[in-house]
């Protein structure tokens, strides 16, 4: 049974890994911003860039999911 679902397990594990990595990156950036006394505009730009990077991975995942569901590729 495990061999039948290894692709699904691997895919879920990889997505969970990316979620954990982005969470840790966010916590590290928050710590650096607090210790560096960054002004609010700078904090906004940093969080915007982080969000856009994360949104790119989410969009990539959704596009892959829709293509796999449609039988393309």
């Amino acid at each position: 049974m495990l061999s039948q679902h290894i692709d699904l397990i691997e895919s879920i594990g990889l997505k969970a890994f990316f979620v954990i990595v982005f969470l840790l990156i966010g916590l590290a950036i928050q710590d650096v911003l607090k210790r560096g006394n960054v002004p609010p505009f700078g904090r906004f730009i940093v969080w915007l860039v982080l969000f856009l990077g994360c949104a790119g991975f989410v969009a990539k995942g959704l596009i892959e999911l829709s293509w796999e569901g449609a039988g393309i590729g």
Side-chain angles (χ1 to χ4, degrees):
M1 166 135 159
L2 181 63
S3 62
Q4 295 171 344
H5 301 291
I6 195 73
D7 289 335
L8 178 62
I9 294 169
E10 184 178 290
S11 175
I12 292 171
L14 184 63
K15 287 177 178 48
F17 170 75
F18 281 129
V19 167
I20 291 169
V21 166
F22 276 112
L23 178 67
L24 291 175
I25 289 171
L27 291 173
I29 289 174
Q30 180 181 9
D31 184 51
V32 168
L33 292 175
K34 282 185 180 181
R35 290 179 188 224
N37 294 328
V38 177
F41 181 72
R43 289 177 191 236
F44 173 75
I45 296 298
V46 168
W47 287 115
L48 178 67
V49 169
L50 180 64
F51 171 76
L52 291 176
C54 185
F57 274 105
V58 170
K60 176 185 172 284
L62 292 174
I63 291 169
E64 285 179 350
L65 186 64
S66 68
W67 279 0
E68 290 173 3
I72 300 172

